[in-house]
């Protein structure tokens, strides 16, 4: 079979012929239809992640969509985090217990593009963030997959107003297409100026901030939270530290909450994936993405890594149909 291989950490994958995987006890063979190139894939392949340096060669791909036993399924993989191969191949051996069957009408590529990024947005909003109908939400970094999904999922969860923010004009356009009521530019690190922009865009105090950025944007968004408001942090794309004042936290008795998909149980993850796929199949959830054939994995990898892609790139080892 054809597969993408990481042969040397820090370099893009090369496409090669490999023996098809042989399923072990409790595993099934999945014919892969769609394999997204995610930030976690890129990080693990550098050899500098907290998971350590992966043994090479290995097939990357921490998640994918394919067919098994007549079903269309989403599946996870520990590739790059633990020994074993991932989704960027024509076939993958996957524990049957980790498969999530997708609803009829779900587009494999769109579900792959959403994947665990959308799961993070969903669970950070409704589980960790306890979003209630009628609340006002700020989504930071809303041009990325997590942010685009969060804007749409906040709306379907009943948020009365969703304020997005993003750095580049292209990212702000993606946030607007996702359905944000207002989009705030993040083109400065001036916390007071960003806070003013959020306040101008808001209809009164904000109830919940979804934050994959940290840094100055998070500090600014915290200033417009209502007393008892919540900020859920699930990333640090802007900075590893945040200049939030103690008086802001104490003065409003704010709740600062951390989130990671790693905290989810298998059942929670499967339930969220199924929900995400259902929303996508119903036409209520979509994110900007591109497709590329498996043969173009190296070029696609470089474009995703360098930020030159229009959204998430999804490799198609076995295009549907």
């Amino acid at each position: 079979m054809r597969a993408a291989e990481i042969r040397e950490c820090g370099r893009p994958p090369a496409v090669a012929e490999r023996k098809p995987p042989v399923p072990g006890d409790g595993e099934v063979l999945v014919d892969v239809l769609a394999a997204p190139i995610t930030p976690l894939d890129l990080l693990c392949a550098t050899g500098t992640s907290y998971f350590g340096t992966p043994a090479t060669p290995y097939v990357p791909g921490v998640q994918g969509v394919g067919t098994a036993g007549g079903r269309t399924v989403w599946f996870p993989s520990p590739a790059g985090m633990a020994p074993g191969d991932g989704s960027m191949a024509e076939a993958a051996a996957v524990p049957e217990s980790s498969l999530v069957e997708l609803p009829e009408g779900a587009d494999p590529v769109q579900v792959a593009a959403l994947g665990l990024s959308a799961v993070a947005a969903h669970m950070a909003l409704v589980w960790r963030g306890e979003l209630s109908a009628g609340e006002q939400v700020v989504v930071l970094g809303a041009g990325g997959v997590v942010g685009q999904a969060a804007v749409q999922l906040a709306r379907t969860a009943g948020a009365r107003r969703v304020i997005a923010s993003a750095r580049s004009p292209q990212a702000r356009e993606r946030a607007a297409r996702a359905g944000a009521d207002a989009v705030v530019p993040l083109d400065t690190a001036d916390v007071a100026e960003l806070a003013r922009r959020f306040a101008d865009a808001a209809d009164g105090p904000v109830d919940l901030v979804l934050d994959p950025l940290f840094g100055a944007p998070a500090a600014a968004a915290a200033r417009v939270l209502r007393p008892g408001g919540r900020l859920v942090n699930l990333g640090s794309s802007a900075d590893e530290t945040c200049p939030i004042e103690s008086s802001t936290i104490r003065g409003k008795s704010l709740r600062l909450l951390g989130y990671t998909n790693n905290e989810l149980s298998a059942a929670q993850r499967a339930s969220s994936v199924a929900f995400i796929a259902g929303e996508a199949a119903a036409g209520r959830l979509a994110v900007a993405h591109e497709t590329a054939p498996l043969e173009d994995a190296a070029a696609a990898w470089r474009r995703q890594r360098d930020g030159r892609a229009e959204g998430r790139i999804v490799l198609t080892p076995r295009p549907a149909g």
Side-chain angles (χ1 to χ4, degrees):
M1 69 170 189
R2 302 287 282 170
E5 285 185 339
I6 296 293
R7 297 173 176 172
E8 181 181 344
C9 288
R11 298 182 64 84
V15 177
E17 288 287 342
R18 290 170 63 101
K19 292 182 179 179
V22 177
D25 290 342
E27 292 186 330
V28 297
L29 193 66
V30 176
D31 292 327
V32 182
L33 298 174
I37 303 174
T38 71
L40 183 55
D41 292 310
L42 298 172
L43 174 63
C44 288
T46 65
T48 62
S49 80
Y50 51 83
F51 296 106
T53 303
T56 55
Y58 76 95
V59 176
V62 298
Q63 57 187 302
V65 175
T67 58
R71 303 166 293 164
T72 302
V73 297
W74 175 92
F75 64 93
S77 160
M81 299 175 280
D85 293 323
S87 63
M88 297 183 195
E90 292 180 335
V94 182
E96 187 165 18
S97 61
S98 68
L99 301 180
V100 179
E101 186 169 358
L102 303 185
E104 186 175 351
D107 174 17
V109 170
Q110 184 64 258
V111 172
L114 288 159
L116 290 171
S117 294
V119 167
H122 175 227
M123 297 301 281
L125 283 170
V126 303
W127 177 57
R128 196 73 169 122
E130 300 177 350
L131 174 61
S132 296
E135 291 191 317
Q136 183 169 214
V137 179
V138 167
V139 177
L140 303 179
V145 175
V146 171
Q148 292 173 67
V151 169
Q152 296 164 80
L153 292 166
R155 179 75 68 209
T156 57
R160 65 178 174 84
R161 185 170 176 80
V162 182
I163 300 159
S165 65
R167 182 175 299 171
S168 71
Q170 296 85 354
R172 294 196 291 272
E173 174 59 26
R174 290 194 292 271
R177 290 200 305 266
D181 293 292
V183 182
V184 172
L186 296 179
D187 54 5
T188 177
D190 186 321
V191 173
E193 171 59 19
L194 289 176
R196 182 192 65 78
R197 294 178 187 180
F198 285 128
D200 288 347
D203 177 16
V206 170
D207 301 283
L208 174 64
V209 173
L210 191 80
D211 168 37
L213 302 182
F214 216 44
R223 292 189 182 185
V224 299
L225 280 167
R226 65 164 171 81
R230 297 96 67 201
L231 184 150
V232 181
N233 174 261
L234 61 163
S236 55
S237 296
D239 205 326
E240 280 291 335
T241 61
C242 176
I244 188 170
E245 303 95 340
S246 173
S247 59
T248 299
I249 301 170
R250 292 182 293 109
K252 296 182 179 181
S253 295
L254 299 182
R255 293 166 58 194
L256 306 184
L257 306 165
Y259 174 84
T260 171
N261 279 344
N262 293 335
E263 188 180 358
L264 300 178
S265 68
Q268 284 177 310
R269 184 182 64 189
S271 177
S272 184
V273 169
F275 175 80
I276 294 300
E279 291 295 288
R284 292 188 292 265
L285 181 60
V287 293
H289 64 277
E290 301 180 16
T291 60
L294 181 64
E295 288 71 19
D296 295 343
W301 186 279
R302 292 187 187 96
R303 293 184 65 246
Q304 191 80 82
R305 180 194 63 193
D306 299 340
R308 294 183 285 114
E310 179 57 34
R312 182 67 45 82
I313 299 180
V314 180
L315 299 178
T316 52
R318 295 176 183 265

